[in-house]
Amino acid sequence: GFITAGHRSLDALGKSVDAAAFDSAVALLAGADTIYLLAKRRAFPVSSYMAYAFGKLRVKCIAVGTASGIDDDILAQAGPRDAAFAISFSPYAAETIAQARAMAERGVPVVSLTDSAFSPLAECSRIWFELAEADHAGFRSLSASMALAMALTVGVAEVRRHPKG
């Protein structure tokens, strides 16, 4: 059942991602000095893996989520030359939403991955991707979320490696 749900999610992803929005998100993130990764709870593994991959690809990022509780201090360093990638699914993580809103209010462009056009992340993001993962036995897969996040991560590294113009 979990494998079937993962397949359904990946099939839906392939049909739903707008190529122009994807390219715009990659360009926005690739142009950032630092990419701040915002995610809690179920979305945390996605941002954690992005941080790992960005590190391997030599793309400067900060995975926000400290045990010491200094996340707001870290985020206060972000400016308009940076960008944030926020991930949250229903029930939305209040801290992720608040952080994404604060970044957007300060002029930091936000790209997000969420599960509905009614998500609070959609309203504060310049570009957002809607992805509703299939579930089995009350658990939603992260298959498509991970695939989209990795495609964005590698896309950002490629654009930085081979800039146009």
Side-chain angles (χ1 to χ4, degrees):
F2 289 108
I3 294 168
T4 300
H7 280 287
R8 284 196 327 258
S9 294
L10 288 167
D11 288 342
L13 173 66
K15 297 171 188 167
S16 68
V17 173
D18 178 72
F22 181 85
D23 290 344
S24 294
V26 166
L28 189 153
L29 294 170
D33 289 344
T34 302
I35 301 168
Y36 290 81
L37 302 171
L38 314 173
K40 302 285 185 255
R41 298 192 327 226
R42 186 172 79 89
F44 182 77
V46 180
S47 68
S48 180
Y49 198 72
M50 287 180 79
Y52 166 77
F54 274 140
K56 297 298 267 182
L57 295 166
R58 304 293 186 244
V59 174
K60 186 177 175 188
C61 76
I62 297 175
V64 179
T66 64
S68 62
I70 60 169
D71 293 356
D72 290 340
D73 298 323
I74 291 169
L75 292 173
Q77 299 175 51
R81 294 179 54 191
D82 299 313
F85 186 73
I87 311 159
S88 192
F89 310 106
S90 180
Y92 305 105
E95 191 173 2
T96 300
I97 304 308
Q99 291 171 341
R101 281 182 179 145
M103 297 285 267
E105 288 169 3
R106 288 200 342 268
V108 178
V110 177
V111 176
S112 65
L113 172 58
T114 190
D115 58 358
S116 169
F118 301 106
S119 164
L121 278 181
E123 63 192 42
C124 66
S125 299
R126 288 201 190 165
I127 304 165
W128 59 276
F129 297 95
E130 180 179 346
L131 179 58
E133 297 270 9
D135 70 65
H136 176 74
F139 291 95
R140 287 173 281 168
S141 164
L142 285 175
S143 302
S145 299
M146 283 291 212
L148 178 61
M150 290 314 300
L152 286 168
T153 302
V154 172
V156 166
E158 284 300 305
V159 167
R160 284 184 171 204
R161 214 172 269 130
H162 307 287
K164 294 179 184 175

